Amino acid sequence: MIVIRPIRADDYASLYDIAVESGHGFTSLPVNDELLMRKINRSERSFQKTVTSPGDEGYLFVLEDTTSGLVMGTSALEAAVGLDDAFYHYHLGKVVHSSRSLNVYKTVDILTLCNDYTGASELCTLFLREACRQKNNGKLLSKFRFLFLKEFSERFSDRIIAEMRGVSDENGNSPFWQWLQEHFFSVDFPTADYLTGIGQKVFIAELMPKYPIYVSLLSKEAQAVIGQVHGKTRPAISLLQSEGFSHRGYVDIFDAGPTVEANLEHIRSARYSEKRQVRIGDVKPGHAYLVCNTQLQNFRATWLEMQIDEDSDEVVLSAECAEGLLVEAGDWVRLTRI
């Protein structure tokens, strides 16, 4: 059975392998022993913490094949970004240069450094191993978070964001960063990316240009990738857009990848999810659904094909599925159609 569960300390070796496999541009999983263990410990503390409003909690999950014990991928939620360290973005805006006397009117695109997403909750650390990208595994690994957000909404902000990986080549070089590096930094993109991933962000405040950057002054290569996603990230952004996320002009300060956002109440899978009481029995094949239990520390989620009786508040689960979700007859689960 394929299930989502909170990460544990004994998942460290699998997490390290995933960090290596994820490659350049995946800043939330740096290949660093201390940082990875710190992420696991922080997640375990977050699940144990009594929370009434979002703070510095981070919830890290793994996708596991319970038959083989293989950890297939990771996914995470940050309760509120920017509360401890500044959370930077560039915002793509416009300024107008006009003169009636000279009959000149020109609109110019600019990038302004900002911290506008401070306090927002973030979808992050989504990675599914290459060999496991099949059936609905990718959708489960991404979309279960919307059920978790809905079920434990007091732990999160109403504003949900996701940073999308920007354009870089197979060596980890970003056209956008190359321009910044040439004019403001002496650090290559993989190094800057890694420093951010391990929490060393002070160089951003020290060296990043404070004044708006005129986009027309950037190289043509840098201009072309602003707000564009890496080829491997296109399925992820398409999925989020189908859920109601949109890009509102904010881009990453390193690779200019877009950040998308949505209010929790507008996220389709959360909005149309429902709670039903479990009945153990024979499951009739039907549509694909995401299903999760309503427990925090023992959270479990999976996907399965089944029929739903619209006139009932029950859902029929097989004994195997109920065991995998750690529920019994009479318990409540939250579900949404894929």
Side-chain angles (χ1 to χ4, degrees), residues 190-248:
T191 302
D193 220 27
Y194 177 77
L195 288 173
T196 301
I198 65 174
Q200 295 184 18
K201 302 178 182 178
V202 66
F203 74 97
I204 300 174
E206 292 174 342
L207 299 177
M208 192 66 78
K210 305 297 188 300
Y211 299 102
I213 298 174
Y214 281 67
V215 172
S216 58
L217 299 180
L218 275 65
S219 67
K220 296 298 182 184
E221 294 80 6
Q223 292 182 45
V225 300
I226 295 175
Q228 302 302 308
V229 297
H230 193 281
K232 293 183 178 179
T233 306
R234 291 194 188 105
I237 194 170
S238 295
L239 184 151
L240 291 176
Q241 288 170 337
S242 72
E243 287 285 342
F245 283 77
S246 61
H247 179 220
R248 299 185 180 178

Side-chain angles (χ1 to χ4, degrees), residues 100-322:
R100 288 189 178 182
S101 61
L102 298 176
N103 195 31
V104 172
Y105 183 95
K106 188 172 181 61
T107 302
V108 180
D109 291 330
I110 60 170
L111 290 170
T112 306
L113 193 66
C114 68
N115 309 111
D116 291 357
Y117 280 130
T118 299
S121 296
E122 183 187 16
L123 307 172
C124 56
T125 322
L126 176 66
F127 188 80
L128 181 60
R129 305 178 94 162
E130 194 82 40
C132 304
R133 296 174 187 177
Q134 52 190 300
K135 296 184 179 178
N136 285 314
N137 289 343
K139 291 180 180 178
L140 170 62
L141 195 57
S142 179
K143 290 192 173 192
F144 87 89
R145 294 177 294 188
F146 305 139
L147 298 183
F148 190 85
L149 286 166
K150 183 70 173 179
E151 185 63 31
F152 304 104
S153 57
E154 73 281 358
R155 292 177 170 262
F156 300 97
S157 168
D158 292 331
R159 192 183 196 187
I160 314 299
I161 67 170
E163 293 184 313
M164 299 286 101
R165 184 176 179 179
V167 176
S168 61
D169 63 21
E170 62 276 4
N171 297 317
N173 297 312
S174 159
F176 184 76
W177 180 260
Q178 284 176 344
W179 185 88
L180 282 175
Q181 178 186 350
E182 179 182 347
H183 294 279
F184 299 100
F185 293 85
S186 298
V187 179
D188 62 20
F189 177 66
T191 302
D193 220 27
Y194 177 77
L195 288 173
T196 301
I198 65 174
Q200 295 184 18
K201 302 178 182 178
V202 66
F203 74 97
I204 300 174
E206 292 174 342
L207 299 177
M208 192 66 78
K210 305 297 188 300
Y211 299 102
I213 298 174
Y214 281 67
V215 172
S216 58
L217 299 180
L218 275 65
S219 67
K220 296 298 182 184
E221 294 80 6
Q223 292 182 45
V225 300
I226 295 175
Q228 302 302 308
V229 297
H230 193 281
K232 293 183 178 179
T233 306
R234 291 194 188 105
I237 194 170
S238 295
L239 184 151
L240 291 176
Q241 288 170 337
S242 72
E243 287 285 342
F245 283 77
S246 61
H247 179 220
R248 299 185 180 178
Y250 293 91
V251 299
D252 184 76
I253 61 173
F254 293 144
D255 60 20
T259 291
V260 294
E261 65 174 277
N263 286 340
L264 177 56
E265 62 182 10
H266 296 152
I267 298 174
R268 188 165 290 109
S269 288
R271 183 176 183 177
Y272 294 112
S273 69
E274 54 182 295
K275 293 179 76 169
R276 288 178 175 250
Q277 218 163 5
V278 173
R279 180 159 59 86
I280 308 298
D282 296 327
V283 178
K284 297 179 180 179
H287 296 293
Y289 284 84
L290 298 180
V291 187
C292 72
N293 66 22
T294 58
Q295 304 171 47
L296 179 63
Q297 295 184 32
N298 292 316
F299 181 82
R300 296 291 187 275
T302 192
W303 75 272
L304 67 154
E305 294 178 348
M306 60 183 177
Q307 289 184 18
I308 293 292
D309 183 354
E310 298 298 340
D311 297 323
S312 170
D313 64 353
E314 290 185 330
V315 59
V316 178
L317 300 179
S318 67
E320 178 190 10
C321 182

Side-chain angles (χ1 to χ4, degrees), residues 61-98:
F61 304 84
V62 295
L63 178 66
E64 181 187 31
D65 182 338
T66 58
T67 302
S68 65
L70 174 67
V71 172
M72 305 162 67
T74 60
S75 192
L77 287 161
E78 286 292 323
V81 298
L83 300 186
D84 292 328
D85 296 314
F87 194 70
Y88 293 100
H89 279 88
Y90 274 126
H91 184 255
L92 184 62
K94 295 181 184 295
V95 294
V96 174
H97 295 270
S98 66

